[in-house]
Structures are given as C-alpha cells and as structure tokens.
Amino acid sequence: MNHSSRSGSGKSGSGRARFALLAGVALSFAGMATGIPGASPAMAADNPSAGFPMNEEIRTKVRALRGIALAPDGKSVLAGITDTTADGGQPHLWLLRAGAKPRQLTFSRSGERGGETAGQFSPDGSAILFIATRDGTRSLFRLPLAGGEPERLQIAKNASGAVSAAWGGAKLDNPLSAGGFAFSPNGKYLAFWADDPEAAAVKTRKERKDDAYSHGEPDHRTHLYLLDPVSGAARAVKLDGVYDKVSWSYDSADMIVTTDPDSDLTGPNAVTWKVTPDLVVTKLDLPATAADAAYLPGRTRMIYTDNCVDDAPPRCNDLFVKDLASGEARNLTRGFDGDIPSGFKILPSGDLVAAIPTHMRSRLARISTKDGSVTWFDIGRPVVGSLVTNAAQTGWAMTGTGPTDPMTVFVTPKLGAAATALEAPALVPATWAKVPSKLVTWQNEGLTIEAMLYMPKVAPGTKVPLVVSIHGGPAGRFADDYSALIQMLVAEGWAVMQPNIRGSSGYGAKFLAANKNDLGGADYRDVMTGVDSVLKDYPIDEKRMALIGYSYGGEMAGFVVGKTDRFKAIVSGAPVINQFSEYGTERGTFYDRWYYGKPWLNFADAWRQSPLSTAANAKTPFLLLQGAEDVTDPLGQSLEMWTALKQSDAPVALVVYPREGHGDTGGHFRALVSTEPWHGIDLRRRMFGFLRAAFAGEPDPLAVARKDVP
C-alpha cells in the first residue's frame, strides 16, 4: 500500500537523466525543447525541458528546511537547509539567531554526496555535531563554533567484535557507518548507533560474484553504542533483537531503547529496554505495540503511545500513562479529535508539549498527563512542526507555515510567550504570488469532509478549470501549509481542491477507520460529492476538471478512471493497482492487512478494492508516473495499469524514472528539492503539459507527456 514514506534505493545521478517511457514502447532521453520567456540562451541549452518559468525556478531558486536544533542559550538555532536542485540539493547546517544574518557553518567538498544532517549543539554550546559522508564513510563529526575544521569520530569494529573509537586521528580499518546520535540531558553521555562494516567473507563473495542471498533473513547490522563525548571512547550496548530507537530519560539516569519494531510478518513485536550508563539492561513491562516510552519526573509514572483502543489502522495512536507501583495503564486520549504524535517533550511538571495535527492544522499544545486535557498555543501560523527545546528548557524552537507563508523558524523563551521569526536563506522566490486557502466542507454518508480550496483570479462571467489533488496514505492528510505545487497550479489559472477524505489522519480514530474494507468506495464518493459542492458554490468549469494524486492519491486516480468520465485528465503517481500483486511485492504489508486482510483469504474484497477491477471502463486520458526503484508501490503496479488500459484502447502513457524510490518521485510530483538534476523538471513539464492540453481540448493531450528529450 501507499503508506510508507521510505523511498527505496533512490540514488543521485549527474548530467541529463535517461528515462524509460512506455507508451509505444519507446526508450529515449526525457524532455522537450521549449522556450522559457526571459530565459538566457545558456539556460535554455542547459535545460530544454522546463517548459514554463516556475518549473525552472523550482530547480534553481527553491531550497528546503530539514530539521532544527536549539542552542543551550535558548536563542540560536541550528537549521538544516538544502541547496537548490541545480546546486545539488544537498543539506547543510546554518546558524540562525534573532537580529543576525544567517550563517552557513558546514560545506561539502567537491564530489561528496549527502551533505550534513542531524545537526545538534554540544551540551556546552561550544561546538556542533553532525552526520556526513566523507571519503566513502558515513561518520559523526564535531565542529568548534570558534573556528577550525570538523573532526571525525573514528570508530571501528574488528573481526572479533572489539570496538575502538576516538576523535580524530588516522582513519581506521573496518569503520562503522553512522546512523545517528543523542546526547544525555546532562551532557555526560552520547548514544550513538551505527551499522557494522561488511564482513570480509561477504565482501569476498561479492567480488567473485558468488553473491546469492536468502530473502527475508533478519539484518542485525545496526547496533547501539555509548560514547564519552570528550574522548570519543565507545562501549557497545548488548541487546537482543534488532535495534530501532533510543531516547534519554529526562534525568539522564538511563536510556529507553526499543528493538524488533514493526515485524512485517507477525505484526509489531517491539521490546522496550532500560539501559543505564553502566550498561545494565532491564526489559520493561510494556506492550509489544508500545512506542515512545519515557519516565515522567519523579519516576513513579511512565508515558508511552500504543495502538488506538478503537479499531483503526496501525498508525493511530493513543497516549497512555502507567503507574509503576500498581502497573495500571490509563488511556489519556481515547476519542481525541486529532493525531497523537511521537515527538512530545516532557515538562518538569510531568505534562507534555507537542505539535498536534488536528484537521487542516498542526497546533502547539500542552497535554496533561493527569487527565489528558489540552491547552493550545498560537504562534501565528496554522501549521506548526519540528518542535525542539534544550536540556534546561530555557527556550523553544519550532517551524511554522501557512498557505501564503513558506516554512519559517520561530523561537520563544517560554510556552505561550510571543514567538520570534528568525531570518534564514530564502526558501522560495520572493516574486511568487501568495495564494490564500479557503476551507470548504460538505456532508457525505454520515461524515463531514473538509478540503482546502485555492482559487486564481477569475474574470467576471468566466469559469476556471479545477484540479482535484488526492493525498497519499490512505492515512495521510493535507494541511493548511505552504505548497510549491499549489503555487504552480494556481499560477496556471486553475483552481485546486485538496480534500481530506475519510481515512485521512488528523480527525480521530473513527474518521481514520471509516474506509476499512472500502477503498475506492465511500472515499471515492467523498471526492465526487466534494466536486459537486465546489461546482455549486464557485466559478468552476465542470467541463475542464482533472484529478491528480501520488501514492494512495495515485491509487484513487486508478479508481476514478474506472468509475467516472467527468474528468478531462487524470495523473496517477506510484499507484496501487492490484492489491494481490502489490501485497506480495511491496516492502511492508502489515499496514495493508488492517484494510482488507490477507488477499488470498479475502479474494472478493481485495479484488473489489483494486483499481484494476474497473480499468476496462476507462475512457479518460491517464498519465502514470513511476520511480523504477520504488519498493513501496513497485513498478509492476504501473505496468499492470498501463497494460490494462492499452488493451482496453484507453489513452495512457507511463513515464519511468530510473534510480528513484517512492519518496524521490513523490518529491518531484510535489515540486520539492531533489538531488536528481533533471527528473523533477521533466516530470512537471510532462504533467503540466498534459493538463494544459486536456483543458484546451486537444485530441491527444498525452502527446506532450510522451515526448522525451531529443
């Protein structure tokens, strides 16, 4: 199914990319020689496939903000900000502070890929730590803020399992590949997780191409270590099972570690451990589905999330507080009208602070661990995220965004106080129009459905085309945030509707569960009822409508093409088409089982919920967009739909992007920054060209989407 955000093995490339286009069958270079108003000859030569100015600007003028950390002084913020796609799309670390210009702290050397990520301040604020790949090894680095070069943590494991580690020095043989790190609140310890080096015997087998492998064997390569932050000396934490996650207790007395998470074959089977700095390991009495466990101040209670008590998909969480003396666990949030996140912070009082998704917003909130009551805070943006604090909680930092406001970093000295926006490198061009959103609602089959509607300027007496966009999931959601894709669509003169149909997150367990065993049923009718609602109330041309979607949105596009001919064009990115074949070939099936069970035991239900079952009815021009390395919704799904539509004489084209996983092609679809130099600009050139041609009434609107770079 489409729930996973994992991107598979999407790899970067250089130069002009090569695409496979199945619409004939042809294989050629992607792109089309089209002029860009105001473009220089050099830009046109380097970029023949842009097709319209905003597409080129996504590649050359758009950056992304990825992760923040707050300094011990509570005033400075370390922010991960990417280069533009044209400059490689790599993330680097910047220092942001009120009243000061942003300053870039880290840089990649020529030829290095991956940038610098996971930035954190040292406990005394004198340095920053980050993860980067240098000389082919992914490592932890330390950079003094007073100046100097980054110092690498040299950590390696020999054949007998002995670990050696220190800051700096000569490069060691058999280095570990860094995964991440976490300081204890008191700054005395550093948890570090890493992958073992490839065993010599395995490497030798691969070199001689004796490299068969047994599918499904567990990978035990990631391990947890406890480091001395000053010397870098490391001790291995010995745990049964596959390492997943670590978090420090509020008082630095121990780490909470989980192993064996989300077993795909048997369902979630997590084990939660307490590990002291002396490496004493104790198994905690928590459910196998529990996550995010933490002691509350005083250590008489523990907080954790677990699957919703009410029937809902595995992503639905309730918040539980456990009395350690009696062993009683109490559900604080049953029936909550929103999502319970994992990234909460614990206050000295024992209350929690989190950014909580609810309906079209994500709001900063304080949650009582005594009765579950919620106090909301407003920072002036409808969508809050990336909430962080420092060990002493002398300040708070977060991101905020809205439909006309790109993502911004805010700091505040305390919860409820006014938040200050920090200057950062521009994420989008200042010249772009700011398109406001409008909340629209309608009723369908017992539920209230919400959508955000974005309208272009409409001349009196005229009507505009409508693009309906469907989110991924099914348990995904749209929020009232800033979207480069929305800016591009509305700039074309098209209205855009983004609905949160039944099955979306952010509306509580009942709404999230309302599409169980009914994919392509009431959720499809939610979409069409919403279309009728906006047609009635807004100047929209019902003869010029299109539907686009990625992942579950692409799956819904597959349902739509077999159930109605009201749209002029449909774009389906990385869809599920056949629940049987997708279930057996995707990475991760447990999530799917909640919706319709094991397909071979529920044949009729699985087939009814497969877009392939109605593909023979299709008449609307249908564009498929697919990453070749997608393991979430594999390439075979798009191939099945392409074959079915071709053999039904329905208009269809399929464009395949090499080296890309699920998240990679999805990022291009949403007009995000990428490390691929041309894929995104090509995908949007084809998609927008297709929509334009369909709205113009051209006899073969897919012709532009089929055309590769000469």
Side-chain angles (χ1 to χ4, degrees), residues 514-585:
N515 60 349
K516 184 173 186 177
N517 204 28
D518 192 34
L519 299 174
D523 51 359
Y524 160 75
R525 295 189 293 276
D526 287 344
V527 174
M528 301 311 297
T529 305
V531 168
D532 290 335
S533 178
V534 297
L535 285 173
K536 182 179 65 175
D537 296 331
Y538 294 90
I540 290 171
D541 186 350
E542 65 177 335
K543 295 181 179 180
R544 292 189 295 161
M545 299 192 301
L547 183 138
I548 66 175
Y550 192 84
S551 199
Y552 166 69
E555 181 178 356
M556 182 57 66
F559 286 122
V560 167
V561 78
K563 292 174 183 264
T564 182
D565 59 2
R566 293 180 63 185
F567 295 100
K568 291 296 183 183
I570 297 175
V571 180
S572 174
V576 173
I577 296 302
N578 182 341
Q579 302 291 4
F580 293 90
S581 58
E582 202 265 351
Y583 188 93
T585 57

Side-chain angles (χ1 to χ4, degrees), residues 154-179:
Q154 303 285 2
I155 180 168
K157 181 184 288 187
N158 63 23
S160 65
V163 177
S164 56
W167 288 108
K171 185 176 180 179
L172 301 176
D173 293 333
N174 303 313
L176 304 184
S177 178

Side-chain angles (χ1 to χ4, degrees), residues 480-514:
D480 192 19
D481 57 6
Y482 187 88
S483 165
L485 178 61
I486 293 295
Q487 304 295 321
M488 298 178 78
L489 291 166
V490 177
E492 294 286 316
W494 307 332
V496 183
M497 182 176 76
Q498 293 193 149
N500 281 341
I501 55 181
R502 68 188 63 214
S504 301
S505 59
Y507 296 81
K510 181 180 178 181
F511 192 91
L512 188 63

Side-chain angles (χ1 to χ4, degrees), residues 99-405:
K101 291 292 183 182
R103 180 163 64 100
Q104 186 172 347
L105 299 178
T106 65
F107 302 82
S108 295
R109 297 179 299 189
S110 177
E112 292 173 339
R113 308 295 295 178
E116 301 81 44
T117 61
Q120 293 288 331
F121 288 93
S122 63
D124 63 2
S126 65
I128 62 168
L129 283 79
F130 58 89
I131 301 289
T133 299
R134 300 287 187 267
D135 304 317
T137 301
R138 183 173 167 84
S139 303
L140 176 64
F141 288 84
R142 180 173 61 186
L143 174 66
L145 288 176
E149 292 296 317
E151 189 176 33
R152 187 199 299 256
L153 176 71
Q154 303 285 2
I155 180 168
K157 181 184 288 187
N158 63 23
S160 65
V163 177
S164 56
W167 288 108
K171 185 176 180 179
L172 301 176
D173 293 333
N174 303 313
L176 304 184
S177 178
F181 62 98
F183 275 104
S184 62
N186 63 11
K188 293 182 178 180
Y189 309 103
L190 185 63
F192 175 78
W193 53 100
D195 286 353
D196 283 350
E198 188 172 54
V202 173
K203 184 177 181 180
T204 300
R205 286 183 58 211
K206 288 182 177 179
E207 289 173 348
R208 68 172 187 254
K209 298 192 181 330
D210 179 18
D211 51 0
Y213 64 92
S214 176
H215 174 71
E217 289 300 306
D219 183 357
H220 294 278
R221 292 184 63 199
T222 302
H223 298 283
L224 180 64
Y225 303 88
L226 193 61
L227 304 183
D228 180 328
V230 177
S231 68
R235 295 174 289 157
V237 179
K238 297 181 180 179
L239 295 168
D240 293 332
V242 180
Y243 166 79
D244 176 53
K245 187 177 180 181
V246 62
S247 61
W248 282 98
S249 295
Y250 69 95
D251 55 4
S252 303
D254 40 48
M255 299 179 285
I256 305 299
V257 185
T258 55
T259 58
D260 287 324
D262 300 327
S263 170
D264 186 48
L265 294 178
T266 62
N269 191 26
V271 179
T272 306
W273 311 85
K274 178 178 73 172
V275 181
T276 69
D278 295 330
L279 302 190
V280 176
V281 177
T282 306
K283 183 178 178 181
L284 297 180
D285 182 20
L286 292 175
T289 47
D292 312 306
Y295 287 104
L296 295 176
R299 288 186 167 263
T300 61
R301 299 182 300 157
M302 176 168 275
I303 196 81
Y304 62 91
T305 61
D306 200 354
N307 290 349
C308 285
V309 173
D310 297 322
D311 186 30
R315 282 191 167 187
C316 183
N317 290 329
D318 280 333
L319 187 65
F320 292 81
V321 62
K322 181 175 182 177
D323 184 281
L324 297 179
S326 67
E328 178 186 1
R330 185 162 50 92
N331 189 339
L332 295 175
T333 57
R334 184 172 186 177
F336 185 73
D337 188 22
D339 291 347
I340 299 301
S342 58
F344 52 75
K345 311 300 179 187
I346 300 173
L347 297 175
S349 66
D351 287 351
L352 311 179
V353 180
I356 297 182
T358 174
H359 292 224
M360 290 284 184
R361 303 184 66 185
S362 289
R363 304 175 64 189
L364 186 62
R366 177 173 181 157
I367 309 171
S368 168
T369 56
K370 295 180 179 179
D371 58 14
S373 59
V374 177
T375 302
W376 302 100
F377 303 100
D378 185 13
I379 70 163
R381 297 288 189 276
V383 177
V384 178
S386 301
L387 176 68
V388 296
T389 187
N390 51 25
Q393 295 187 359
T394 57
W396 297 82
M398 66 214 72
T399 59
T401 179
T404 61
D405 299 291

